[in-house]
Amino acid sequence: MPTIWKGTISFGLVNIPVELASAVRPDHIAFRMLDSTTNTPVKYERVRASDGETVPWKTIVKGYEYEKGRYIVLTDEDFKAAALESSKAIDILDFVAQSEIDPRFFETPYFLLPAKGGERSYALLREAMRESDVVGIGKIIMRQHQHLAGIHVVDDALILELMRFANEVVDASTYTFPKASTVRPAERTVAIQLVKSLSAEFEPGKYTDDYRANLMRVIKAKSKGKKLVTQAAALDKSDGKVLDLMAVLKKSLTRERAPAKKAVKVSRRKRAS
């Protein structure tokens, strides 16, 4: 995959030449809006909210709504005045323990690749961070925008994740959550047993997007002139009654403790039928 940024990582007086490459691959199904009478694509136009008239690009400007219905127009000169000095360096400001960072701060991951001549210093930083079990916090300018960034070790790679600034994260105190005192000791004990019975090593490959798979089957069937009959998802049959939490926990625990071999035999008989 092509790299999207080239620069250096700096910590202390050490500078490491690196390149940034995407660490994720979008896998969504794209759709186009069509006219149902002709199946031709529909274009979107820029229109004035006041009268619906089309507005040409050359007359469009950017405005900030400082109060309802009132705007301040910003020019190219205004944006230049606010722009930060272009930089090709990621200055690590602090090394922080991973456990201290709220996961909500992390947003988009990228691979940091060592550029030519930077392999040794790259490995040095990686191993020092691995041994110290820390995340490097710094800032990076990409596409004329400044981002907070976290650098951490994953196997032999350094991963840079764009992060949210503190003002972008909603404080948990905004909402009300139940207190731990509402949990009964007996329920806690059974719930812990259930959690342990479901514990497993993380294998990302086993978690698949079932909706996407179903949608692709529908698309392929329709492309061949067929109609695919799918089973509707089960509806929520909750009737609003008070839940007997202990009974549900015990039932769940009993099901999870059922022998795995029995489940395999049942599935084979079903396939045979």
Side-chain angles (χ1 to χ4, degrees):
M1 298 178 70
T3 57
I4 60 175
W5 184 90
K6 294 182 180 181
T8 60
I9 301 175
S10 301
F11 70 107
L13 298 177
V14 180
N15 292 297
I16 308 168
V18 292
E19 300 178 358
L20 211 60
S22 180
V24 293
R25 184 181 293 108
D27 188 22
H28 60 270
I29 302 173
F31 293 96
R32 292 287 304 273
M33 295 297 181
L34 307 176
D35 178 355
S36 63
T37 60
T38 60
N39 275 6
T40 53
V42 176
K43 292 182 179 180
Y44 288 92
E45 293 188 337
R46 301 165 298 280
V47 296
R48 277 194 300 266
S50 58
D51 57 14
E53 289 295 319
T54 301
V55 181
W57 268 117
K58 64 181 181 180
T59 65
I60 294 178
V61 295
K62 292 182 179 180
Y64 175 79
E65 188 175 20
Y66 62 94
E67 62 180 58
K68 187 66 174 178
R70 304 192 69 180
Y71 302 87
I72 291 177
V73 174
L74 295 175
T75 65
D76 290 342
E77 287 71 27
D78 294 324
F79 287 107
K80 288 178 182 178
L84 297 170
E85 182 180 351
S86 180
S87 173
K88 285 294 182 182
I90 306 168
D91 292 318
I92 297 180
L93 306 174
D94 299 292
F95 287 106
V96 181
Q98 175 77 53
S99 59
E100 293 183 9
I101 306 175
D102 189 318
R104 292 175 299 162
F105 279 95
F106 293 112
E107 190 172 1
T108 308
Y110 295 90
F111 281 117
L112 274 169
L113 311 176
K116 187 175 182 180
E119 294 85 356
R120 186 165 174 268
S121 53
Y122 181 100
L124 176 64
L125 173 60
R126 182 193 64 208
E127 295 311 311
M129 289 179 62
R130 191 198 306 276
E131 182 70 22
S132 304
D133 193 22
V134 293
V135 176
I137 304 296
K139 293 180 181 179
I140 180 174
I141 296 176
M142 289 176 58
R143 302 185 181 96
Q144 299 180 330
H145 291 283
Q146 187 182 60
H147 302 271
L148 189 64
I151 300 172
H152 53 259
V153 179
V154 176
D155 297 328
D156 287 336
L158 287 177
I159 301 288
L160 179 144
E161 284 196 82
L162 297 186
M163 298 176 67
R164 299 177 176 89
F165 287 101
N167 62 302
E168 298 177 277
V169 177
V170 177
D171 195 293
S173 64
T174 305
Y175 305 100
T176 302
F177 301 97
K179 302 292 184 182
S181 58
T182 63
V183 179
R184 297 172 181 170
E187 293 171 346
R188 181 194 296 269
T189 299
V190 180
I192 291 173
Q193 292 174 353
L194 178 57
V195 169
K196 287 182 178 179
S197 71
L198 289 168
S199 297
E201 291 185 4
F202 180 56
E203 298 177 22
K206 77 177 185 180
Y207 307 109
T208 58
D209 186 343
D210 298 329
Y211 173 73
R212 185 188 189 283
N214 284 342
L215 196 56
M216 284 306 302
R217 281 196 285 269
V218 171
I219 291 172
K220 288 179 180 178
K222 293 197 75 169
S223 69
K224 297 178 181 178
K226 300 177 182 179
K227 184 176 181 180
L228 185 67
V229 179
T230 57
Q231 185 176 358
L235 298 175
D236 182 8
K237 297 182 179 179
S238 175
D239 55 8
K241 294 181 179 179
V242 177
L243 180 67
D244 186 344
L245 194 52
M246 180 59 84
V248 173
L249 285 169
K250 288 183 176 179
K251 185 176 181 180
S252 300
L253 189 59
T254 301
R255 186 185 67 177
E256 292 306 321
R257 285 176 172 172
K261 291 182 179 180
K262 184 177 180 181
V264 172
K265 290 181 180 179
V266 171
S267 63
R268 285 175 178 170
R269 283 202 294 269
K270 286 185 176 180
R271 286 198 295 269
S273 61

